[in-house]
Amino acid sequence: MRGRQLTATGGADMAAWLAANRLTVAQCLPLVGPADAPAKVADPPFDRDGLWPGVAMALARALPQAGPLLARLAEGAQVDLAPDPHRFPRAFTLGDDGRGMPLISCPVRGRLSDVLRLAHEVGHACQYLAAGRADLPPILRETAALVAEGLVCRPEALPRPDLAALTKARRQRLIARHAGPLRAALRDPAAAYDYGWNYPPAVALADRVLGDTALCWQVMAGRITPNALLPGP
């Protein structure tokens, strides 16, 4: 889910973004990874009928702590896998559809990458449901979504070894697109906010916590701040 405003602070520039995420420039810079050229990997066909609620249940197998929330999503969330392509060309998640449940809009193409795209949005939805609010630090929001992408690649989630290569390529594309603008903006506290700034740090933090199930759950539940995920001194 993308947006232009920083609801945590009411601001819309680099200084406000750092404050919303409780980070300093010095803390953020190491999280902006090298912009390697994205690898070209196969994206084989995948039956869209298995996507929902299959992705939610796969995530529950990989992160049992989130099982009850994911079951609630599977039973009650509005999930549109074929939205109007002109009105809603990109995937997004709303925290509340008016019934107290998230709404997920995720156009799919009948390819394996649909699993990752939907897992990303389910990560947002799970975090919204767990936290009970949408005004979370934006880096934390994207970290939860990227953690969900990583979790769905685990063998206990989906037995598809080719998902890992697709996930790596997706992360490389995010960094290649957004790392340069973020580095430039970090030099200017008044730089106008761009939601793309959130992706490079979120990739780094997601990769850092994926080996720790307890941390994964804290991220997915919105119970931790980005600076608390940084390595110790």
Side-chain angles (χ1 to χ4, degrees):
M1 182 178 177
R2 299 173 66 85
R4 301 298 297 181
Q5 294 293 321
L6 292 179
T7 57
T9 63
D13 59 17
M14 172 54 70
W17 178 75
L18 289 168
N21 291 293
R22 302 184 188 179
L23 292 173
T24 65
V25 172
Q27 289 173 321
C28 192
L29 275 171
L31 300 177
V32 187
D36 298 327
K40 293 183 178 180
V41 297
D43 189 8
F46 189 85
D47 184 4
R48 59 172 289 166
D49 291 338
L51 284 170
W52 188 257
V55 166
M57 295 300 94
L59 286 171
R61 290 191 293 273
L63 189 66
Q65 298 97 317
L69 284 176
L70 290 162
R72 285 181 61 193
L73 288 173
E75 293 170 3
Q78 293 188 58
V79 178
D80 189 352
L81 301 182
D84 184 321
H86 299 290
R87 295 179 62 201
F88 307 114
R90 298 175 62 97
F92 67 89
T93 299
L94 299 180
D96 189 339
D97 65 358
R99 302 175 300 122
M101 291 293 291
L103 180 152
I104 296 173
S105 175
C106 184
V108 301
R109 301 177 299 166
R111 296 286 174 179
L112 186 60
S113 57
D114 292 337
V115 170
L116 301 176
R117 193 173 299 108
L118 183 56
H120 187 104
E121 298 308 321
V122 173
H124 283 310
C126 183
Q127 192 183 59
Y128 285 140
L129 199 58
R133 60 191 182 92
D135 61 336
L136 295 164
I139 289 177
L140 188 66
R141 293 200 301 263
E142 291 307 324
T143 301
L146 290 162
V147 163
E149 289 187 31
L151 289 172
V152 84
C153 296
R154 291 182 171 172
E156 64 270 30
L158 283 177
R160 291 294 302 251
D162 42 355
L163 270 175
L166 277 170
T167 302
K168 182 177 179 179
R170 279 171 61 82
R171 280 153 156 68
Q172 288 172 332
R173 284 194 295 272
L174 285 173
I175 295 171
R177 180 175 179 182
H178 299 293
L182 174 54
R183 284 196 192 92
L186 283 166
R187 297 192 291 268
D188 179 7
Y193 177 58
D194 183 339
Y195 193 86
W197 294 347
N198 297 298
Y199 292 112
V203 167
L205 293 177
D207 287 345
R208 182 167 293 161
V209 306
L210 271 167
D212 186 325
T213 302
L215 272 181
C216 286
W217 170 236
Q218 288 189 63
V219 168
M220 295 287 281
R223 297 177 182 172
I224 197 165
T225 56
N227 62 348
L229 297 172
L230 298 176

